[in-house]
Amino acid sequence: MQPNVVSLISIGRHPQSGRARRAEQDGRGVELGLKLAGEKLSVLHVGNPEEPVLRQYAGMGLPAMTVLKQDETADAVPALSDYLQQEKIDIVLTGVRSESGESSGMVPYLLAEKLGWPVVARVADIVSIKDGVAEVLLALPRGQRRSVTVKLPFIASVDNAAAPARQSAFGPGQRVRMESVNTHGEVDQIRVDWQEAPAKPRPKRLKTVKAKTAADRFKAATAKPQGGSGKVMKNESAAEKAKAIFDLLIEENVIR
Amino acid sequence: MSDIIRRDPRREWIARNRLHPLHDSVANAVQGEVRGPSGLLRKNPHQVGFIGPNGLKRIDRLKGNAVVGVGNKRSAANQEAVLPLHKVDNPDFYIVVVPDMVGGRLSGHDKDILGLAHTMVSTIEGNGAVVAVCFGESKETHYDLAGVDRLIHLSASEYEGFAPEARLTALTHIEAQLAPKHWLFPDSIHGGSDLGSRLAARLGERPAAQAWQVSGEQTVCRGGGGSLDISRQTPRILMLLEECGEAIDETRHEALAIEVDGISVSEPALQDKGLMDVDPSAIPLAEAEFILSAGNGIHNWDQFHKVATVLGATEGASRVAVDDGFMPRFRQVGATGTWVTARVYLAVGISGAIQHMQGIGQCDKVVAINTDAGCDMVKRAALSVIGDSEDILAELMLLAQARKKGSQEEQSDAA
Ligand SMILES: Cc1cc2nc3c(=O)[nH]c(=O)nc-3n(C[C@H](O)[C@H](O)[C@H](O)COP(=O)(O)OP(=O)(O)OC[C@H]3O[C@@H](n4cnc5c(N)ncnc54)[C@H](O)[C@@H]3O)c2cc1C
């Protein structure tokens, strides 16, 4: 049985040129969706159905695409949760963070809270789906992976560690069936008061020396950093030395 | 006594006459500051300093900051001054920080956020306390120096490891009990941003993610994929970027424990099946957590590779090992190689040239195996073992193999 998978897509932004593009993580979400559901994958966007970037997603081999038509200033979450509640869906895939707008990464969590589903953050892969339970690989820092099982239905945000999106073909992208659904979202009132400016480079932290006297400051500026506090083992046998190292490795939890 | 000032001509005469045998005692009897006729503060240059052992006058301009001699143990102890204790009795409000506690210790990111919490407390009226909520086993011993006024430590097994739902339940209980003014989370991939987002969704608050400039009223956070700065009113829940504040370093804090009872954790929807075995050699060197690094002191390369596999360590190398063709170039650690961030860096037969040390500046624990007890790597290391690399690596391999066998037997027993 193939699961019902929905991939949510948004309009990305190229980090250098600032041009609209297929968002990195959403593209990976569509790729993962195609792996799980093949042609039956539904792809959902909230916003303007005329947006040319949607064709870049469609060019990954999607026969159809649904767009919930909405103003740009409106909040996407109510429209999404209304729509997702109507359909019978097993897995919703999103990116971790959008590349435009607020970029808070709250969409999967808000949807999950509204629908009452569990949310799995930073998914690298969905390995298997069996008897209504999915085995999911989470991307951890330092290239580590954690295996987690979760009951369907659930929401997953797709990490950059997932398989990269396939190349987009122009022709099929133009031929996609666009289904647009009219919704009326409410204007995001809180956001109206915010001020937006191009990002300033963040100041680098300087190493300040809190010394009370000139002699201390001089010492801090010139002295070689010296630990000197480490334990040194000289006369023990090789086995004892190795044991000490091994204990430290176990204590630091680096060997399993 | 009467107010009439009585002059003592003899004393005045002795005070004027520096050659008089009683001059010192009379001159030193004048206590406190002396004002001249125009009201200026007068200092007697003849009273500064002391007479040294060979009769010469000595003036100490270091004001007690002289380098402490070896035999002078007592003043060395004095220098490790106890920081003043910052006390909060009956706080009016709380700011709760939920640190990542990577490896059971407060990270630099966590400490910055605790420092930021204190600057926020000082801008808000009333006296507030900074609460840290720590989950799972903790190896941290210096909560007090990091600025923790109150500590909630939930060490039950259900919070251990990967347990975002149980932790969320605990946080909602704390919300009900303390009603904190702000919740601060590190915006990190170690689980801080996940937990913060979950709490925000549960409480129906609109959080600020990727915040980096925060005061009591205004918050600047990154948006638009890092291309925008959004200024907004400071919300209740904040997820903060690195270096958002200055860590506490001048005060000590109480770190009093707060009990939270009655948390009932229900069966989680996400079942943790444990970490996967990833091929350590596939992890990029810059990201690797545990590096076994080889230098010119390695002579048995087959053994070295075997130990790295058994320990599950990512391999690194010094430049000499790479130049001699024993290791590929992308394994080189140091100024012209990769700058690594490993938590544990095991340096075998590496002398610790400055170009190499630059590359391991961010490593937490350095362990050195070397024949030379005086080399720079031994000075940098938390644990150094002096001896031949081949013998020690052989013993290390035996230990690792024994442990592996033990855990396998355990598994087969359980099965
Ligand atoms: C411009 C420039 C850039 C450089 N960039 C880098 C860089 O990016 N990375 C880098 O690593 N180097 C770099 N170097 C080279 C650096 O200066 C050192 O030469 C190099 O790091 C030394 O490597 P080593 O410690 O492995 O070798 P050595 O200095 O030869 O040290 C070998 C150590 O092994 C010990 N030893 C010997 N036999 C044994 C044994 N049987 N058991 C245990 N211990 C033993 C010795 O006591 C000694 O401490 C650079 C140099 C220059 C000039």
Side-chain angles (χ1 to χ4, degrees):
Chain A
M1 184 211 91
Q2 268 187 337
N4 282 326
V5 183
V6 177
S7 289
L8 307 186
I9 57 174
S10 64
I11 311 300
R13 179 188 171 283
H14 192 276
Q16 260 74 48
S17 68
R19 272 200 288 185
R21 64 157 185 184
R22 178 174 70 171
E24 188 69 23
Q25 290 167 342
D26 294 348
R28 288 168 196 258
V30 172
E31 180 69 44
L32 183 56
L34 284 171
K35 181 192 137 190
L36 293 173
E39 295 264 287
K40 277 179 61 192
L41 171 73
S42 344
V43 173
L44 190 59
H45 174 70
V46 184
N48 179 10
E50 311 294 317
E51 178 61 53
V53 172
L54 297 182
R55 307 276 166 180
Q56 295 183 15
Y57 288 102
M60 293 170 72
L62 307 174
M65 190 180 260
T66 313
V67 180
L68 307 179
K69 208 162 152 186
Q70 209 177 55
D71 228 30
E72 278 206 356
T73 50
D75 189 359
V77 173
L80 276 174
S81 63
D82 286 349
Y83 182 85
L84 292 173
Q85 237 150 12
Q86 292 161 15
E87 318 270 310
K88 202 190 154 302
I89 288 163
D90 297 322
I91 302 175
V92 178
L93 300 172
T94 74
V96 172
R97 227 165 229 172
S98 75
E99 295 178 6
S100 51
E102 195 187 338
S103 277
S104 67
M106 284 299 289
V107 167
Y109 296 95
L110 292 172
L111 280 179
E113 199 62 36
K114 278 220 171 139
L115 300 171
W117 296 358
V119 55
V120 194
R122 295 190 174 273
V123 166
D125 199 3
I126 297 180
V127 185
S128 66
I129 300 170
K130 223 188 278 168
D131 306 331
V133 176
E135 190 190 346
V136 180
L137 282 191
L138 303 188
L140 301 186
R142 299 181 180 282
Q144 302 290 319
R145 299 278 182 274
R146 185 188 291 284
S147 166
V148 166
T149 58
V150 56
K151 273 211 196 81
L152 302 180
F154 67 94
I155 298 183
S157 62
V158 179
D159 190 83
N160 281 339
R166 64 187 69 175
Q167 197 174 4
S168 166
F170 183 78
Q174 301 302 308
R175 291 192 288 275
V176 68
R177 219 167 355 100
M178 276 285 184
E179 286 160 30
S180 110
V181 182
N182 275 323
T183 57
H184 46 269
E186 292 156 34
V187 175
D188 187 347
Q189 275 306 336
I190 300 177
R191 208 171 148 184
V192 172
D193 303 333
W194 296 355
Q195 281 140 30
E196 294 181 4
K200 272 191 292 189
R202 291 182 59 194
K204 275 227 176 75
R205 178 180 285 174
L206 298 176
K207 217 172 94 188
T208 48
V209 179
K210 280 193 181 160
K212 296 232 163 52
T213 62
D216 278 352
R217 278 192 293 276
F218 182 72
K219 215 176 355 176
T222 54
K224 256 207 219 174
Q226 280 198 345
S229 55
K231 195 174 140 201
V232 181
M233 298 179 74
K234 249 185 198 161
N235 300 325
E236 290 84 349
S237 71
E240 279 169 331
K241 291 171 183 165
K243 182 85 181 112
I245 295 178
F246 200 68
D247 288 344
L248 186 137
L249 299 182
I250 290 173
E251 192 196 310
E252 289 295 324
N253 252 334
V254 287
I255 25 185
R256 282 182 283 281
Chain B
M1 280 217 351
S2 72
D3 290 339
I4 303 166
I5 301 171
R6 298 205 177 273
R7 298 179 63 178
D8 182 347
R10 181 170 177 272
R11 278 178 69 91
E12 284 177 13
W13 176 69
I14 295 174
R16 278 200 304 275
N17 183 358
R18 279 195 281 124
L19 299 177
H20 195 280
L22 291 180
H23 171 76
D24 267 0
S25 61
V26 171
N28 289 341
V30 183
Q31 298 281 310
E33 53 189 30
V34 181
R35 299 267 168 196
S38 60
L40 277 181
L41 188 64
R42 290 291 181 201
K43 280 187 184 165
N44 184 357
H46 301 292
Q47 281 184 11
V48 185
F50 57 94
I51 304 298
N54 47 7
L56 287 180
K57 183 165 213 170
R58 293 288 177 206
I59 301 176
D60 180 13
R61 296 192 196 280
L62 287 171
K63 304 218 170 75
N65 288 295
V67 183
V68 184
V70 186
N72 209 342
K73 277 263 167 59
R74 205 158 50 110
S75 56
N78 286 345
Q79 276 208 332
E80 215 171 274
V82 180
L83 295 171
L85 182 67
H86 174 92
K87 243 184 169 171
V88 189
D89 302 320
N90 304 322
D92 303 330
F93 63 90
Y94 294 99
I95 290 186
V96 179
V97 177
V98 187
D100 277 335
M101 307 286 292
V102 182
R105 292 197 189 90
L106 291 171
S107 63
H109 195 174
D110 296 337
K111 287 180 184 169
D112 288 350
I113 291 173
L114 286 166
L116 178 78
H118 277 283
T119 49
M120 287 175 81
V121 165
S122 61
T123 56
I124 301 172
E125 234 172 273
N127 65 338
V130 174
V131 185
V133 181
C134 303
F135 294 103
E137 195 197 346
S138 149
K139 288 187 208 137
E140 181 65 45
T141 48
H142 286 303
Y143 286 112
D144 52 342
L145 297 182
V148 178
D149 294 322
R150 302 283 188 277
L151 179 66
I152 300 177
H153 187 193
L154 300 165
S155 54
S157 59
E158 60 257 36
Y159 305 116
E160 199 68 57
F162 177 78
E165 288 159 302
R167 293 178 180 197
L168 175 64
T169 314
L171 292 188
T172 50
H173 267 268
I174 293 167
E175 161 80 17
Q177 185 173 334
L178 300 182
K181 200 150 210 149
H182 291 286
W183 283 92
L184 310 186
F185 293 85
D187 197 336
S188 67
I189 47 178
H190 298 285
S193 94
D194 180 42
L195 200 53
S197 304
R198 280 175 199 270
L199 184 70
R202 179 61 51 86
L203 301 183
E205 296 277 346
R206 184 140 185 184
Q210 307 194 69
W212 60 279
Q213 225 177 41
V214 182
S215 71
E217 290 91 45
Q218 260 247 321
T219 294
V220 179
C221 54
R222 283 277 143 96
S227 65
L228 289 177
D229 270 343
I230 304 175
S231 319
R232 53 193 284 191
Q233 221 186 344
T234 301
R236 270 196 71 208
I237 300 183
L238 288 147
M239 292 172 248
L240 298 147
L241 289 179
E242 276 177 4
E243 300 197 357
C244 55
E246 293 285 339
I248 294 284
D249 60 353
E250 287 183 333
T251 43
R252 225 159 23 98
H253 296 255
E254 298 168 289
L256 293 179
I258 300 186
E259 294 301 323
V260 185
D261 338 288
I263 306 176
S264 57
V265 178
S266 51
E267 181 70 9
L270 308 181
Q271 298 278 353
D272 183 12
K273 297 289 171 205
L275 290 177
M276 302 293 290
D277 285 331
V278 269
D279 180 11
S281 59
I283 303 173
L285 194 57
E287 274 185 30
E289 187 170 32
F290 172 31
I291 297 178
L292 179 67
S293 199
N296 205 14
I298 291 275
H299 306 294
N300 185 346
W301 284 93
D302 288 342
Q303 183 203 34
F304 173 77
H305 295 307
K306 240 180 244 158
V307 173
T309 331
V310 173
L311 290 178
T314 308
E315 289 180 11
S318 79
R319 179 158 176 175
V320 173
V322 172
D323 283 353
D324 291 353
F326 293 116
M327 293 288 267
R329 181 63 70 192
F330 66 89
R331 293 274 171 222
Q332 180 182 326
V333 174
T336 41
T338 311
W339 293 51
V340 299
T341 57
R343 257 191 327 113
V344 179
Y345 186 82
L346 183 47
V348 190
I350 299 181
S351 60
I354 184 68
Q355 293 91 353
H356 192 88
M357 292 311 222
Q358 282 168 353
I360 62 168
Q362 288 186 50
C363 294
D364 259 359
K365 280 255 151 78
V366 176
V367 182
I369 301 179
N370 207 306
T371 41
D372 173 13
C375 71
D376 280 343
M377 187 57 84
V378 171
K379 286 185 192 136
R380 164 77 166 80
L383 171 67
S384 332
V385 164
I386 312 301
D388 187 56
S389 59
E390 201 168 337
D391 303 345
I392 293 166
L393 286 185
E395 292 290 342
L396 208 51
M397 182 132 77
L398 287 182
L399 283 171
Q401 278 165 345
R403 184 182 157 91
K404 240 187 200 161
K405 212 174 272 168
S407 67
Q408 266 167 10
E409 266 163 24
E410 233 168 67
Q411 269 176 5
S412 61
D413 282 354

